Amino acid sequence: QVQLVESGGGLVQTGGSLRLSCAASGRTFSNKIVGWFRQAPGKERAFVASLYWGGGGTVYADSVKDRFTISRDNAKNTVNLQMNSLKPEDTAVYFCAARNLRAETYDYWGQGTQVTVSS
């Protein structure tokens, strides 16, 4: 069982930056795909970015390419999402999730962290 805890959300102005962090406990991210998703009010949960903990395999939604960067910190066993040039439409609850490399669905989810971008 993997427990995921997100941190780093908050309120920022348009054009600002935030860094989200996802920490794993119970087990590590070894051999897993770790992703970030977000859900805005009244909308479905949407994919933001993901990476393979073993190295490489980063994927981004078109809406965040060139603004967001997903990375891993081996020493801290965390996956981070650096968000730059934030826009009001980035406002959402951001969730960290993980799945086994060969799984089709994400089995482990965090509780979410709120990101609000003011105009």
Side-chain angles (χ1 to χ4, degrees), residues 51-117:
L51 59 71
Y52 171 53
W53 183 259
T58 56
V59 181
Y60 294 93
D62 288 343
S63 59
V64 306
K65 276 181 182 176
D66 301 324
R67 298 189 300 123
F68 291 11
T69 302
I70 188 171
S71 63
R72 71 184 193 275
D73 186 325
N74 290 352
K76 296 181 179 180
N77 200 34
T78 60
V79 173
N80 304 309
L81 186 68
Q82 178 66 41
M83 306 186 295
N84 299 329
S85 301
L86 283 162
K87 306 174 182 180
E89 50 263 45
D90 294 318
T91 295
V93 177
Y94 283 71
F95 297 89
C96 175
R99 63 176 175 88
N100 292 322
L101 182 58
R102 299 183 185 277
E104 295 183 356
T105 59
Y106 284 82
D107 296 319
Y108 309 102
W109 290 85
Q111 82 289 350
T113 185
Q114 177 69 46
V115 171
T116 303
V117 184

Side-chain angles (χ1 to χ4, degrees), residues 26-50:
R27 289 188 178 181
T28 68
F29 287 126
S30 178
N31 206 37
K32 287 183 173 51
I33 304 291
V34 183
W36 284 96
F37 293 76
R38 66 187 182 186
Q39 187 166 19
K43 295 188 177 181
E44 294 186 354
R45 189 173 297 184
F47 171 80
V48 175
S50 66

Side-chain angles (χ1 to χ4, degrees), residues 11-30:
L11 174 64
V12 66
Q13 291 185 335
T14 296
S17 298
L18 281 174
R19 183 179 178 87
L20 304 182
S21 184
C22 175
S25 62
R27 289 188 178 181
T28 68
F29 287 126
S30 178

